[in-house]
Amino acid sequence: MNYIIETKMLSKQYGNKYSVKQLDLRVPVGSVYGFLGPNGAGKTTSMKMVLGLIKPTEGNVRILGKQLCEKNRITILKNTGSLIESPSYYGHLTGGENLEIVRILKNVSKSEIGNVLKIVRLEEEQHKKVKNYSLGMKQRLGLAVALIGRPKLLLLDEPTNGLDPAGIQEMRELIKSLPQKYGMTVMVSSHLLSEVDQMATNVGIIDNGELIFQDNLSLLHQQASKKIHIRTLDQVKAFEVLNQNAIKYKVEQENIVLPILAEIEVANIVSLLVENGIGITRVIEKQKSLEEIFISLTGKQVSL
Amino acid sequence: MKLLTTEIKKTRYRKIWLLLLVPLAIQGIWMLFITSHTNQAQLNMGYSNLLYFMSTMNVIIIPIVMAMLASRLCDIENKGNTLKLLYTLEEKGKVFDYKLILGSIYILGFTILQMICIKLVGGIFKFTQMLETHMWIEFIVSTFTVSVILFLIHQILSFQFKNQVACLTVGIGGTFFGLFSMFFPAPFPYFIIWGYYSILSGFRFRNVPAGVMKVYEIPYKTEALFFLAVLGIIIYLVGKKLFLRREV
């Protein structure tokens, strides 16, 4: 089993509008899978469908190698933990009592409560009623609930929402450490590119309900690698010269774009163009930011 | 069993018993008051009187109590957005069923306590009438069945509407509707669940000369109980379908 979550043509339609369309997610075992997309892109709906909270219009979900259906849903989900949208809690009960309820339902030992409280650093607040918790503490309690029983798979929907900067950093470090420390696979959604960049090993980008990119984060970074941009006074003639000399290039915004080359190679190409009477106006080394890549993929601005 | 355990744990600090004991105390005080103002002839029919009046009082009080009980038990799931968590841990249908089971346990306790109150008042005032087995069994079965169905209606409403005003409004409206249904011609009262406390009572009253009210026993309406049970099953099936269909 290479993928802990695998969806095939997963779709959800409300009326005439697709919230999620033909989603083929592949979350590798042991990865931190960043599920990135602008607000309203379909991240939460997708995660809810993965958990069987929403019935898909079409398509199917495989978790831990088993196809999810109503009959085996709970058995499969015993190996998962989730925090979807906002944390779920009983405000009139203490943090410890909330965890006790989940512990009983998950049928795990009592010591597990102490363990997860320690992981999320809520030990001192466990006797306080949850309605008196700050948003950050509720979020951490939500994570503790998800962690009970050391599930193999963790689905976290925007887990840093409502946290202060220190809390955000703490949460990111914690999520990053989960695969190594506890052998978990984490699928974490975010609308923040920088956040996914800091936590994830793999990334899926969703926009308007459709998956537009999915691979290693390093592959996304490759797209951000440095390029040489050349602008000339006669681009058409420049293309001809480069073609005649079998020099590979791309055209972006009327610029000739070359992969990163050795200094001498750049000098040779510039000389070649000049010798053919083409005036050079600019030779620039450019690197696309992840945000630019995201915009080029989605056509939308994202938060950084 | 673990679901029932967690349901009980969730009710901690919710003062559910207080919600049931307050109306019970009111009914107890009321029973003591009316019994202390009755003559010897009425005391001879003491249990018949109390069982009749208790059924009538249940029409007024219990619908509101059931609305509050359902709201108190179900609203915690709405407030804390816990259904989406519970659905990953248990089958959706079980979440609905165990809420109903817990409500039914409270209702059974409440109904038995009502019966104990009636027996205590009978002891205090030394009723000469025997409390026959069929009398208390019929009272408990009727009160329990009607109350559970009313609880079920309010449970459905509490889950469907996050704002609990809908549930409480139906509770208050049901009280009036139940009372008025006593004056509706047959078969209309049989379709108004709130009025069943009175329909299923094994006693009726008539005014005898000198303005005295006389309570007399009638054969128990088993067919009405059966019809009510059918209505209850239909409400359960519809309610559960709505609950399962709801996306969280």
Side-chain angles (χ1 to χ4, degrees):
Chain A
M1 182 182 66
N2 296 323
Y3 301 109
I4 199 158
I5 299 176
E6 233 181 320
T7 70
K8 208 169 181 185
M9 304 290 278
L10 195 66
S11 306
K12 183 68 188 177
Q13 196 176 3
Y14 290 106
N16 294 325
K17 198 176 176 287
Y18 274 96
S19 225
V20 174
K21 199 174 180 186
Q22 298 176 344
L23 197 72
D24 289 335
L25 279 179
R26 286 187 301 275
V27 179
V29 176
S31 65
V32 174
Y33 183 97
F35 196 33
L36 182 65
N39 291 325
K43 301 185 293 292
T44 302
T45 308
S46 305
M47 291 175 103
K48 282 184 174 178
M49 280 195 286
V50 168
L51 289 167
L53 298 176
I54 290 180
K55 205 175 170 187
T57 310
E58 59 175 306
N60 60 59
V61 177
R62 289 181 79 84
I63 298 180
L64 294 150
K66 288 176 190 152
Q67 188 159 327
L68 197 74
C69 65
E70 203 46 52
K71 276 186 180 171
N72 65 11
R73 195 178 71 90
I74 295 302
T75 315
I76 293 174
L77 294 185
K78 293 269 180 214
N79 295 308
T80 69
S82 58
L83 171 56
I84 303 293
E85 289 173 320
S86 51
S88 301
Y89 60 86
Y90 298 102
H92 65 288
L93 299 178
T94 66
E97 286 163 345
N98 269 273
L99 292 170
E100 172 67 5
I101 286 172
V102 179
R103 181 197 74 78
I104 294 170
L105 291 173
K106 281 196 170 180
N107 210 12
V108 292
S109 72
K110 277 204 168 194
S111 60
E112 198 49 20
I113 293 179
N115 294 339
V116 292
L117 281 169
K118 199 174 171 186
I119 293 172
V120 301
R121 292 181 203 163
L122 265 183
E123 292 153 297
E124 285 175 18
E125 314 291 341
Q126 62 172 307
H127 301 299
K128 203 168 155 183
K129 285 191 178 173
V130 178
K131 66 181 174 192
N132 299 324
Y133 276 18
S134 68
L135 187 56
M137 282 157 71
K138 284 176 186 165
Q139 202 77 357
R140 279 191 281 161
L141 178 70
L143 185 63
V145 164
L147 287 170
I148 281 194
R150 305 283 165 96
K152 290 177 185 162
L153 172 65
L154 213 55
L155 285 104
L156 307 174
D157 185 18
E158 310 243 5
T160 54
N161 269 0
L163 297 181
D164 56 28
I168 289 172
Q169 197 51 40
E170 199 181 339
M171 182 71 87
R172 283 176 190 162
E173 293 304 320
L174 178 62
I175 291 169
K176 263 170 77 174
S177 70
L178 291 173
Q180 275 186 337
K181 274 190 183 171
Y182 308 107
M184 292 177 186
T185 305
V186 188
M187 180 180 184
V188 56
S189 79
S190 178
H191 62 278
L192 301 171
L193 184 61
S194 57
E195 187 166 87
V196 169
D197 194 27
Q198 287 175 49
M199 287 189 289
T201 54
N202 291 68
V203 66
I205 300 177
I206 185 171
D207 186 42
N208 282 327
E210 292 183 60
L211 198 65
I212 50 174
F213 178 87
Q214 179 173 245
D215 218 309
N216 282 332
L217 190 67
S218 55
L219 207 84
L220 196 67
H221 276 285
Q222 267 179 31
Q223 295 198 25
S225 59
K226 287 176 184 173
K227 300 262 176 6
I228 306 289
H229 288 239
I230 302 176
R231 198 162 186 125
T232 67
L233 289 172
D234 189 349
Q235 293 288 77
V236 178
K237 198 175 173 188
F239 298 154
E240 277 175 26
V241 172
L242 293 172
N243 288 335
Q244 281 164 11
N245 290 279
I247 296 168
K248 286 184 181 171
Y249 68 95
K250 283 183 183 170
V251 181
E252 272 179 27
Q253 295 168 331
E254 295 178 19
N255 285 341
I256 295 162
V257 181
L258 302 167
I260 198 75
L261 300 166
E263 300 280 300
I264 188 71
E265 286 176 295
V266 177
N268 287 342
I269 291 170
V270 170
S271 301
L272 181 70
L273 293 170
V274 172
E275 280 162 14
N276 282 279
I278 302 163
I280 307 281
T281 57
R282 283 180 183 83
V283 178
I284 313 163
E285 188 181 270
K286 266 180 110 175
Q287 183 173 26
K288 259 189 186 176
S289 67
L290 276 182
E291 192 194 16
E292 281 172 318
I293 295 166
F294 189 89
I295 293 168
S296 68
L297 286 168
T298 65
K300 283 181 189 166
Q301 191 80 29
V302 285
S303 312
L304 279 169
Chain B
M1 198 59 198
K2 62 180 180 182
L3 259 171
L4 188 60
T5 311
T6 54
E7 282 301 328
I8 292 166
K9 281 185 181 285
K10 283 182 211 170
T11 60
R12 200 170 178 198
Y13 316 117
R14 296 292 285 171
K15 299 182 177 73
I16 304 287
W17 277 113
L18 196 64
L19 178 72
L20 300 173
L21 287 175
V22 168
L24 191 72
I26 293 168
Q27 287 182 321
I29 292 165
W30 176 80
M31 279 193 288
L32 287 170
F33 178 77
I34 58 155
T35 313
S36 65
H37 286 76
T38 51
N39 57 33
Q40 190 55 48
Q42 284 172 320
L43 283 180
N44 292 341
M45 288 294 285
Y47 286 117
S48 302
N49 282 336
L50 283 189
L51 288 170
Y52 171 74
F53 286 118
M54 198 59 142
S55 305
T56 311
M57 200 155 183
N58 280 348
V59 176
I60 301 164
I61 289 181
I62 296 194
I64 298 167
V65 175
M66 288 304 114
M68 289 167 77
L69 178 65
S71 171
R72 205 104 182 108
L73 293 180
C74 303
D75 195 34
I76 47 175
E77 313 294 354
N78 292 329
K79 273 186 187 163
N81 287 317
T82 50
L83 287 177
K84 61 176 185 251
L85 169 68
L86 294 178
Y87 287 177
T88 62
L89 302 169
E90 274 305 334
E91 286 168 32
K92 291 178 186 177
K94 279 189 181 174
V95 175
F96 183 86
D97 289 344
Y98 275 86
K99 206 57 104 177
L100 183 59
I101 289 169
L102 181 66
S104 303
I105 291 170
Y106 278 116
I107 293 164
L108 184 64
F110 177 72
T111 312
I112 290 169
L113 282 176
Q114 272 194 330
M115 198 61 239
I116 290 169
C117 280
I118 291 170
K119 185 70 185 153
L120 277 176
V121 173
I124 293 167
F125 289 93
K126 298 186 173 53
F127 287 173
T128 49
Q129 186 189 15
M130 282 283 291
L131 179 64
E132 290 172 45
T133 312
H134 78 92
M135 289 162 80
W136 66 263
I137 289 179
E138 283 168 9
F139 177 81
I140 288 178
V141 168
S142 305
T143 309
F144 175 74
T145 311
V146 183
S147 303
V148 166
I149 297 173
L150 289 185
F151 176 83
L152 171 65
I153 293 170
H154 293 295
Q155 178 180 323
I156 295 164
L157 291 170
S158 283
F159 278 131
Q160 288 299 313
F161 302 100
K162 279 197 172 179
N163 190 337
Q164 295 302 297
V165 171
C167 177
L168 298 174
T169 306
V170 172
I172 295 165
T175 291
F176 288 106
F177 214 38
L179 272 177
F180 288 130
S181 73
M182 293 181 194
F183 306 103
F184 292 167
F188 297 109
Y190 289 92
F191 293 95
I192 298 160
I193 292 159
W194 292 266
Y196 265 86
Y197 292 108
S198 173
I199 292 172
L200 291 176
S201 170
F203 302 92
R204 294 288 182 272
F205 86 93
R206 66 168 173 262
N207 285 316
V208 293
V212 180
M213 209 174 76
K214 186 173 170 54
V215 173
Y216 61 96
E217 199 169 348
I218 57 160
Y220 188 69
K221 293 191 170 180
T222 316
E223 74 288 348
L225 182 68
F226 179 74
F227 185 67
L228 176 68
V230 172
L231 285 180
I233 290 166
I234 294 168
I235 293 166
Y236 169 79
L237 294 173
V238 172
K240 196 165 173 180
K241 194 171 182 181
L242 285 172
F243 182 78
L244 294 176
R245 217 171 55 179
R246 190 181 153 203
E247 287 183 348
V248 292

